[in-house]
Amino acid sequence: MPGAREDDYVDHPIRSYVRTGGRARPTHRLTPATLLIGHTDPASTSVGRQEREVLSQCLGVISMAEIAVHLGQPVSVLAVIASDMIDAGLIGVRPDSDTATGPSRETLQKVLHALNHL
Amino acid sequence: MTRPFLVRLHRAGPWFCSTAILLFVALSPVIFVTASGDEWLWRWLLAGVPVVALTLWLTAMAYDRTPAEASARSAEKSGTPAEASATSADLASTDASNDASDVSAVVGDGSADASDASADVPDGSADVRDSSADVADASAGVDGRRGEAGMRVAVLSLSRKVQASAHRIQEESTRMVAKFPAEPDVLEAGMRVDHAAAQQARLAQSIATLCGEQPGQHWRDPLAIADVVRGAAGRITAYRRVRVEGDPPVAVQGAHVEPLIHLVAELLANATQSSPPATEVLVTIRSVRRGAALEIDDAGVGMDETNLAWMREIASGTRQVRLQDLGEIPQTGLAVVGTYVRRHGFRVDLTESVHGGLRVAVLVPEAMTTPLTPAVPAPVGPRTPPSIPVPPSTPVPASLLAQAPKAPPASTTPAWPVHNAAKAPDPIPGRNEPSLFTSDGLPQRRSKRGQRFATGHQQAVSQPIPARPEPTAEQAGAWMSSFLSTPATPATGTTIPPVNDRQNDRQNDRTTAETDAAPENHWRNHDR
């Protein structure tokens, strides 16, 4: 967890490599700020316990960082799990959540220019 | 004080004895034959027999007392370091919990502790050799048992130290991974370290268990039985080969979680080791009338009848295998299983599977289970999660800034981005969905945290509020214009409600985060 204090280590009987099946590389680029939306009912019996845990957090739009804190897992572990779920169509990434689609460079430069002349 | 004399007597005994007899034989004819005539034989016998008897008695006494005292000494010797190491283990564990906040301190502590442990090892083994030599000398049952107990305590405390250091490695790797949320390489390295340390911890815990002690780890909260199996899979080398089927709504009570995880881990380790590497080990979990049943099937070659009967006796707890029974090639797995079976009352049986491998059946009695409350309340009626209008607020400031200017000023859309709005005529679709608006008419953040931990509060807030129409396009436009025209610190009045909403939202975030602090300590019960 980014910004985690040193004393908030919480142990869990299920280790992270079991959760991800030993994989460390997510298939999607998910940052802590990425917003996820659930596409599936968390009560659905067709998904596993781990997926249900994530889905139960995705009732609305929620950021990766928040889910990670709720589930007590590092963001990088969650990224692997969430990537699989995105591939399976269980959840989706909110399209406009990526900062890459923010204001254009010209706009930002104009703002900066205006700020400098305040 | 008497010890040197007795030792000297012990050493001199044979010499003393033979010298006395020789002297008597050599001198008696001279004394008796020359002194008196006929009755010399009787006098010779009357004087000689007591002298020989006294000599033999003294010698025998010296032999008797010296080894007994020596073995007693050895028992004292072996007892003292065992106690000392147990105390130091206690100290080390307290140290560990105290210093957990400081990474470098913990690391330093850990290495110091490790060297401490390794320094203890030769001491301990020398002592063990010493005492075992003495024990063999004495061949006295009581003293043997005392030495055994001392050795058991020493082995136990050493295994506890090893386990504690393994858990500290796991902790450090988890911290490292958490520090680099966007680095898959770090995650991969962390996982490898974590996995290796988990196996080390399992082995150390096996030794402690065979010494007759409780596991070093404790979990307070119940754990779903499927998660118990996953936790167990994480402690074996070939965890990828374990496939879990079935997920009944049954949890294992906290006190029995760690024993069951360890038991299943040993069974999974056996199953993966005794089957081809390309095959899966299938774990089937069912809820049965008498509790929860696990079946572990491997695709190995099984074993012959004699071996199977033997193994079954060990695994079912009928035949006790102690640490000293393990032998040169120690097979701890089933011995650990049997220990847990005897101590906790699980039931384990081994049978030959129809396809050749082994099938291990484990029954977790009902008294150790608890019905699992679903983490996600099943919604009543059709659930339409995407229909919830989502206020543009997240706790991540970057995304807040990024989205704020992009709230749609369009005519047909609501005031904030709505995912799949066409399907959502009613913003409050179900009973389980919390109200989206407070009594003040402010949009309310729909948070899982609120649902789970503060349902009472949310209901109290949301009950009197009926369904509210969605904001119109005009409202949306007003919100946008007010947002864009408002200075950085808007007035606290209600003239610009949406901006206020946002503040309210963020405040909500804070409060929910605070109320969350306690429940998020869900797993902070790990006692080392």
Side-chain angles (χ1 to χ4, degrees):
Chain A
M1 287 153 271
R5 291 191 314 275
E6 291 297 343
D7 59 348
D8 65 354
Y9 171 74
V10 181
D11 205 354
H12 198 283
I14 305 174
R15 311 307 302 177
S16 56
Y17 49 88
V18 178
R19 293 185 184 278
T20 67
R23 290 166 303 129
R25 291 167 204 289
T27 51
H28 294 261
R29 193 181 158 272
L30 303 174
T31 66
T34 307
L35 297 177
L36 300 177
I37 308 168
H39 288 335
T40 315
D41 188 345
S44 160
T45 52
S46 60
V47 297
R49 174 170 298 277
Q50 178 169 283
E51 285 74 23
R52 280 209 295 277
E53 278 176 3
V54 176
L55 280 174
S56 67
Q57 304 293 332
C58 296
L59 293 176
V61 171
I62 188 166
S63 71
M64 287 276 294
E66 269 188 297
I67 303 177
V69 169
H70 291 172
L71 299 183
Q73 290 170 30
V75 173
S76 49
V77 174
L78 181 66
V80 179
I81 299 168
S83 288
D84 291 349
M85 291 175 70
I86 292 168
D87 291 337
L90 297 175
I91 52 172
V93 177
R94 194 165 125 157
D96 55 352
S97 69
D98 200 348
T99 46
T101 60
S104 67
R105 188 183 173 84
E106 291 80 33
T107 314
L108 290 173
Q109 275 178 337
K110 276 182 198 168
V111 171
L112 183 65
H113 187 72
L115 286 172
N116 283 336
H117 284 80
L118 276 177
Chain B
M1 220 158 90
T2 54
R3 195 171 62 79
F5 165 71
L6 282 169
V7 169
R8 249 179 277 136
L9 190 65
H10 179 209
R11 282 182 193 151
W15 295 107
F16 179 71
C17 181
S18 35
T19 316
I21 290 170
L22 279 174
L23 272 175
F24 175 70
V25 170
L27 293 179
S28 58
V30 179
I31 297 170
F32 291 104
V33 174
T34 54
S36 61
D38 291 341
E39 289 180 353
W40 67 270
L41 181 68
W42 291 109
R43 290 191 185 179
W44 184 70
L45 282 177
L46 275 174
V49 168
V51 167
V52 172
L54 183 71
T55 318
L56 289 176
W57 179 72
L58 275 175
T59 316
M61 212 181 66
Y63 266 105
D64 260 357
R65 286 192 58 181
T66 315
E69 214 212 26
S71 68
R73 243 186 313 131
S74 78
E76 274 171 29
K77 250 175 148 183
S78 63
T80 319
E83 277 166 24
S85 61
T87 333
S88 69
D90 283 348
L91 287 175
S93 62
T94 354
D95 269 351
S97 53
N98 285 344
D99 291 357
S101 56
D102 188 348
V103 181
S104 59
V106 165
V107 170
D109 219 26
S111 56
D113 207 33
S115 64
D116 188 23
S118 63
D120 271 4
V121 169
D123 240 19
S125 59
D127 197 54
V128 164
R129 235 179 290 128
D130 187 23
S131 71
S132 66
D134 281 345
V135 165
D137 237 17
S139 71
V142 179
D143 296 317
R145 273 199 293 279
R146 281 183 69 180
E148 210 172 81
M151 192 177 78
R152 195 184 64 85
V153 172
V155 170
L156 178 67
S157 67
L158 287 176
S159 70
R160 287 273 194 256
K161 279 186 185 182
V162 173
Q163 188 177 359
S165 76
H167 287 316
R168 219 170 303 153
I169 294 171
Q170 286 187 306
E171 181 178 338
E172 291 308 323
S173 85
T174 307
R175 286 188 198 283
M176 179 183 73
V177 166
K179 244 177 216 173
F180 299 94
E183 296 284 345
D185 289 335
V186 174
L187 177 59
E188 193 168 13
M191 282 173 169
R192 283 172 188 274
V193 171
D194 194 350
H195 184 210
Q199 289 168 83
Q200 186 190 339
R202 173 170 69 94
L203 185 59
Q205 189 162 282
S206 287
I207 297 170
T209 306
L210 291 178
C211 285
E213 279 306 307
Q214 299 285 338
Q217 272 186 310
H218 302 287
W219 309 102
R220 192 186 53 206
D221 296 333
L223 188 66
I225 185 126
D227 284 346
V228 168
V229 176
R230 289 166 71 205
R235 301 193 186 177
I236 67 168
T237 315
Y239 65 93
R240 289 189 186 87
R241 287 172 53 202
V242 177
R243 189 157 61 91
V244 184
E245 289 219 336
D247 188 2
V250 175
V252 180
Q253 287 170 10
H256 304 288
V257 166
E258 180 58 31
L260 189 60
I261 289 181
H262 194 186
L263 184 152
V264 175
E266 295 295 345
L267 292 174
L268 289 176
N270 273 355
T272 48
Q273 279 162 20
S274 57
S275 57
T279 57
E280 278 184 335
V281 169
L282 177 63
V283 185
T284 317
I285 311 171
R286 284 179 304 153
S287 174
V288 294
R289 199 173 163 185
R290 293 166 63 192
L294 306 174
E295 282 174 350
I296 302 169
D297 284 286
D298 66 54
V301 290
M303 57 175 70
D304 59 62
E305 281 297 320
T306 323
N307 266 332
L308 184 61
W310 179 265
M311 293 299 171
R312 185 186 283 155
E313 279 186 7
I314 295 175
S316 61
T318 319
R319 181 185 297 275
Q320 186 176 3
V321 180
R322 293 166 305 171
L323 195 63
Q324 56 266 40
D325 304 328
L326 288 174
E328 204 170 324
I329 307 167
Q331 305 253 321
T332 51
L334 289 180
V336 170
V337 171
T339 308
Y340 282 127
V341 166
R342 268 198 313 281
R343 191 184 298 152
H344 291 268
F346 305 111
R347 293 190 62 186
V348 174
D349 194 21
L350 272 69
T351 49
E352 198 157 354
S353 155
V354 280
H355 47 77
L358 270 190
R359 161 173 289 190
V360 188
V362 182
L363 176 76
V364 186
E366 200 183 1
M368 299 181 195
T369 61
T370 174
L372 189 67
T373 47
V376 185
V380 181
R383 187 182 169 278
T384 52
S387 68
I388 312 304
V390 181
S393 83
T394 78
V396 184
S399 59
L400 262 179
L401 293 172
Q403 282 163 40
K406 288 200 290 176
S411 56
T412 54
T413 50
W416 36 72
V418 173
H419 180 73
N420 210 351
K423 287 189 200 161
D426 184 357
I428 305 179
R431 187 164 62 86
N432 283 341
E433 309 285 359
S435 169
L436 300 167
F437 298 92
T438 64
S439 50
D440 301 331
L442 303 178
Q444 193 176 14
R445 188 162 193 284
R446 195 170 166 284
S447 165
K448 180 68 183 72
R449 285 176 296 186
Q451 258 188 334
R452 190 168 42 172
F453 301 119
T455 41
H457 168 73
Q458 283 219 345
Q459 275 168 4
V461 172
S462 66
Q463 265 169 4
I465 307 302
R468 219 186 107 112
E470 281 182 330
T472 61
E474 285 77 16
Q475 283 173 309
W479 179 78
M480 273 308 295
S481 57
S482 63
F483 178 78
L484 293 174
S485 60
T486 312
T489 50
T492 48
T494 52
T495 47
I496 313 164
V499 177
N500 226 359
D501 290 348
R502 181 179 298 268
Q503 281 190 330
N504 197 29
D505 263 344
R506 294 170 81 167
Q507 229 162 18
N508 271 354
D509 272 345
R510 257 202 308 281
T511 48
T512 46
E514 278 160 13
T515 51
D516 249 1
E520 285 304 324
N521 291 342
H522 193 60
W523 288 109
R524 195 198 286 277
N525 43 20
H526 190 161
D527 182 10
R528 282 171 188 166

